[in-house]
Amino acid sequence: MTQGAGQEPVVRTATLRDFRVPPYARVPVQSHAAEPAGPEPLPAPAEHVHGHAEHPESYSATDEYRDEQPATRPAPAARPAAAEPLPPVAPSPVEAVPQTPPPPPQAPAPMPADPTLHLGHRAAAPPYPAAPTASGHPGNAFPEGEVPEGYTPTERDLPVINRGDTVQVQASPAPAPAGEAPAGEGPGPLYVVGDVHGYLDELVAALRAQGLVDENGGWAAGNARLWFLGDFTDRGPDGIGVIDLVMRLSAEAAAAGGYCKALMGNHELLLIGAKRFGDTPVNSGAGTATFQAAWLLNGGQKQDMDRLQDVHLQWMSRLDAVVREDDHLLVHSDTTAYLEYGETIEDVNDTVHEILNRNDADEVWDVFRKFTKRFAFRDDGGPQAVQELLSTYGGSRIVHGHSPIPYLLGQVGAEDGEDDGGPVVDGPHVYADGLAIAMDGGVTMAGKLLVVQLPLDA
């Protein structure tokens, strides 16, 4: 495993616009070919919840390093990297600044009110070999019974939380293309995206449904603002493809007068650690641990590691952990651990970046472990925990991913193999006295990848 010793410090930049996009990231997004099938039987979840000193909060970890989000979809296969990078479709604004104003955004192709989770066509010749027809989830690109070498399934052992105090908010697709306001007349509409975990086709379909990208996966939202809440890789078939898409959209959105940005999730920390430190032992309260072991345990995919490049590592290392947009505090994890890294948003982000730059395995592990905590905002102490974050960093609501909505609702996927109904997720969930919005729709467990416009009505 490649080690991180000797890497030069990453220089923090104020914008994502200066990130150089690799050539293969500038081709139109393609879709998988797949046929849906019913879910497979799953093992019963194991009870495993830790407490928190002040606000009840659970580690989602076994031996302090398992992010216990189960993978109830049939095991997907990652698409292999192309033999040779294709030439870019159009010059990236990172490489060639246009001398004339960009053309107005094109209206996206019409989408049904309730789009499917995957694209049903290919727009052009794919930059990678076509996946064989498969059974199971749309991301499952290998024949039934044939698991590709290097695929690592994850266990379904997160405790089921039977709660009745959450509010489910239906997120309907926008009736018109986003970002139609002319550039220079104030910020465009604000959108957030929940955990993606490698499900590239589902992401593109969800972005198209909101009018944010066109039929080829290009930015189509003008001056709209788009925030990803982290966790781009692991468990799903194409984590690197997801990162490439977000990097490309960042450049395209900036050229159109909007922006596309992202937060750092615990799986970004995990992938950085696995690449830099490999099997190097780290200090853990539960005994000896390594980043590579934790990465594999949490659904790390060999295909993602093989395609991971320095440009991806640099991009992930620069992501912020906390931001405030309008009146919303955006974070990845539903935890109060952010308070341990600073009293302001700038302090938190600077501290996390400094830790990554120092390249110390134990320090990076400690950040990963703390950002893997969850469930701080549920139960009776939830509103107080949210208020502590909001009073420190500002905002009137907190928006997070990380903890799947089906578990906040006490839902589980079908286990008897006779029912095609997985978790029912129609939109984000507002809870903790209306102060918190959960955005992880459970795409890895046949839920839904959520892309919604803020603000939401309670």
Side-chain angles (χ1 to χ4, degrees):
M1 180 61 64
T2 303
Q3 303 298 312
Q7 289 189 356
E8 296 181 1
V10 175
V11 179
R12 183 187 179 203
T13 60
T15 174
L16 295 181
R17 191 170 181 174
D18 59 346
F19 297 152
R20 186 165 298 279
V21 182
Y24 56 81
R26 299 195 292 268
V27 298
V29 176
Q30 310 296 329
S31 61
H32 299 300
E35 298 176 359
E40 299 178 357
L42 301 169
E47 298 294 333
H48 183 73
V49 177
H50 296 272
H52 188 273
E54 297 181 359
H55 308 296
E57 181 172 356
S58 299
Y59 287 100
S60 56
T62 297
D63 296 338
E64 286 196 327
Y65 62 86
R66 171 180 290 148
D67 178 8
E68 296 180 341
Q69 179 177 331
T72 65
R73 292 178 179 271
R79 55 168 66 101
E84 296 182 0
L86 293 178
V89 173
S92 167
V94 181
E95 300 175 354
V97 179
Q99 300 302 316
T100 59
Q106 298 296 321
M111 292 294 295
D114 185 16
T116 57
L117 292 180
H118 63 94
L119 299 180
H121 67 280
R122 296 182 180 273
Y128 41 79
T133 301
S135 60
H137 183 267
N140 186 0
F142 55 85
E144 184 173 4
E146 297 182 15
V147 179
E149 181 180 358
Y151 177 76
T152 306
T154 53
E155 297 182 10
R156 179 182 179 188
D157 51 8
L158 187 69
V160 174
I161 309 299
N162 291 302
R163 302 286 300 166
D165 58 355
T166 58
V167 180
Q168 189 166 6
V169 180
Q170 184 170 0
S172 301
E180 291 186 342
E185 295 188 5
L190 175 63
Y191 293 82
V192 289
V193 184
D195 299 36
V196 182
H197 283 298
Y199 285 92
L200 179 59
D201 289 346
E202 288 80 355
L203 172 60
V204 175
L207 293 173
R208 286 187 63 194
Q210 292 286 8
L212 295 167
V213 301
D214 58 28
E215 61 183 2
N216 293 320
W219 183 258
N223 67 344
R225 298 169 291 160
L226 178 62
W227 273 99
F228 285 80
L229 299 181
D231 278 7
F232 303 106
T233 67
D234 303 337
R235 299 193 174 100
D238 194 2
I240 298 303
V242 171
I243 292 177
D244 285 337
L245 173 64
V246 178
M247 292 173 65
R248 176 169 59 77
L249 290 179
S250 298
E252 295 177 356
Y259 60 72
C260 169
K261 300 183 181 182
L263 292 179
M264 181 179 295
N266 61 308
H267 279 260
E268 280 68 67
L269 291 164
L270 186 58
L271 184 58
I272 291 171
K275 183 67 173 180
R276 287 185 182 177
F277 309 116
D279 286 324
T280 301
V282 295
N283 293 326
S284 170
T288 302
T290 70
F291 271 104
Q292 180 166 338
W295 175 70
L296 292 171
L297 184 65
N298 284 279
Q301 303 300 307
K302 180 180 183 298
Q303 295 85 352
D304 282 348
M305 185 63 73
D306 290 343
R307 296 165 59 198
L308 184 64
Q309 300 180 16
D310 286 343
V311 67
H312 301 128
L313 290 170
Q314 293 167 5
W315 181 80
M316 289 188 293
S317 298
R318 292 169 174 152
L319 299 178
D320 285 337
V322 185
V323 298
R324 189 173 68 244
E325 282 287 349
D326 298 342
D327 208 25
H328 300 87
L329 186 66
L330 309 183
V331 296
H332 171 71
S333 306
D334 46 330
T335 177
T336 58
Y338 297 96
L339 296 167
E340 301 180 34
Y341 293 93
E343 296 182 355
T344 68
I345 290 176
E346 183 178 9
D347 288 344
V348 174
N349 294 329
D350 287 346
T351 300
V352 172
H353 292 156
E354 289 170 2
I355 290 173
L356 290 175
N357 289 340
R358 283 197 292 269
N359 213 36
D360 182 281
D362 289 331
E363 284 190 311
V364 177
W365 177 268
D366 192 56
V367 178
F368 160 70
R369 180 180 63 85
K370 289 175 179 175
F371 285 5
T372 302
K373 294 180 180 180
R374 65 170 89 244
F375 296 146
F377 309 146
R378 64 177 179 87
D379 298 328
D380 294 338
Q384 180 182 351
V386 176
Q387 286 285 16
E388 188 174 358
L389 284 167
L390 295 177
S391 63
T392 302
Y393 303 129
S396 62
R397 264 184 175 177
I398 194 165
V399 183
H400 70 86
H402 189 51
S403 291
I405 290 171
Y407 284 100
L408 293 174
L409 292 176
Q411 296 176 342
V412 295
E415 298 184 5
D416 56 8
E418 299 177 356
D419 188 355
D420 62 352
V424 178
V425 178
D426 293 326
H429 282 77
V430 180
Y431 67 116
D433 291 348
L435 297 174
I437 301 175
M439 280 291 301
D440 183 353
V443 66
T444 64
M445 49 190 298
K448 186 175 184 180
L449 200 160
L450 297 178
V451 179
V452 300
Q453 183 176 352
L454 298 178
L456 291 177
D457 294 330

